[in-house]
Amino acid sequence: MLYVEILGNLPSMARDEVKAMLELAGGRIKDQDYLFLKLDADGEAFPYLDRLGLTHEYGELIVEAGSPGELLKRAGEVRWPIKGTFKVTPKTMANCRHNVMGLPRKFGAVVNAQGFRVNLSKPDTLVRVYCGERLYAGIRLRFFDPKDFEGRKAQHRPFFRPISLHPRVSRTLVNLTKARREILDPFMGAGGILMEAGLLGLKVYGVDIKPEMVEGAGINLRHYGIRDYRLKLGDATRLEELFPDRRFEAIATDPPYGTSATLAGRRRDELYRKALESMYNVLKKGGRLVTAFPANFNGRKEAERVGFRLLERYYQRVHKSLDRWFYVFEKV
Ligand SMILES: C[S@@+](CC[C@H](N)C(=O)[O-])C[C@H]1O[C@@H](n2cnc3c(N)ncnc32)[C@H](O)[C@@H]1O
């Protein structure tokens, strides 16, 4: 059995990202204990779990228990699949309801008794002990280093525009579409969403109404080693003309929120409505659109009006004057 520890800032969105990846891989979330997810999945899921954005780590779940004593007992009953040296690192989640004082040390002693050597500074294997409603112990297989994402934040890109989602969030928007081959971002800006999709090996298509964005997004994509892209200067409300006879597998986007600089002189709500219609027209049946809209726009109603079905939505307060929803729609 596998586990995933998701990040806590957008927990429902993070959980559904895992769910979407497991749907592609052939697995499911079996249980959730706060930020700890138990997965019914095996090694075949690794390439899909490796795509995740809002995740801290995943690993192999070895034992689980209802009390520290039971956890230690169970840990002694299994043969730990440890390579080289190990170290135990605990994670006490906000809902932890056990006294875990001294547990990592006792746990280390149990594993040590099986002949494995401890190395606190440079272990080959990290044994993780989680405390939530219940207790879990496993072996970390993959850690999603924040530095990898930080390095792609707006200020580190060669073409800089301050209007950009965090790379982890962009990655999650892409994954929520369940795209396997390709993705379109019709309001691509500096290309933040396309960068994350390109790094997953998807073919990326982008549109922006401003020539400097089309050029800048290309610079950013090349900088991060993405070669399989097609960027077009054009209008997100007229995608049918830009891509005649083309139907996309998936769309992920972050439209402008209403400053005159990014709206290119258009009325915001009208722009959203027309863009929703146009995105619907160039999306394949069964394909997903994942998009943000400010909270004072009724994205659900307007999307349903053009024929989309709402699958999920997630609220985020960005700052005092901006709150938004991320929507997952399906073309039925
Ligand atoms: C919020 S930014 C997108 C940021 C992008 N998601 C990123 O992470 O870098 C919105 C972009 O939409 C573009 N835009 C505005 N109106 C448009 C339209 N009608 N068609 C296409 N692009 C448009 C703006 O030029 C701007 O670059």
Side-chain angles (χ1 to χ4, degrees), residues 62-63 67-82 86-88 102-118 127 129 137:
I62 309 285
V63 283
S67 72
E70 189 192 348
L71 191 76
L72 290 169
K73 182 170 166 289
R74 295 206 163 180
E77 289 166 357
V78 294
R79 179 79 191 151
W80 280 77
I82 287 174
F86 79 99
K87 174 185 175 180
V88 179
L103 182 62
R105 194 180 40 76
K106 290 182 199 152
F107 205 94
V110 170
V111 178
N112 186 238
Q114 295 190 1
F116 300 110
R117 271 190 313 113
V118 177
V127 173
V129 175

Side-chain angles (χ1 to χ4, degrees), residues 22-55:
L22 290 176
E23 282 166 7
L24 292 184
R28 68 185 184 104
I29 298 173
K30 197 163 175 246
D31 230 327
Q32 176 166 10
D33 187 344
Y34 193 46
L35 302 178
F36 187 88
L37 308 180
K38 271 167 63 178
L39 311 188
D40 231 346
D42 55 25
E44 307 231 327
F46 293 164
Y48 294 95
L49 297 178
D50 284 337
R51 289 175 51 159
L52 292 168
L54 288 173
T55 282

Side-chain angles (χ1 to χ4, degrees), residues 157 163-165 170 185-193 207-210 213 234-237 254-256 262-264 266 271:
R157 302 173 190 164
I163 41 156
S164 205
L165 297 172
S170 294
D185 181 351
F187 292 99
M188 70 178 163
I193 292 174
V207 173
D208 204 284
I209 206 156
K210 293 194 179 154
M213 291 299 186
D235 191 332
T237 64
D254 180 31
T262 56
L263 280 172
R266 306 275 279 275
L271 172 70

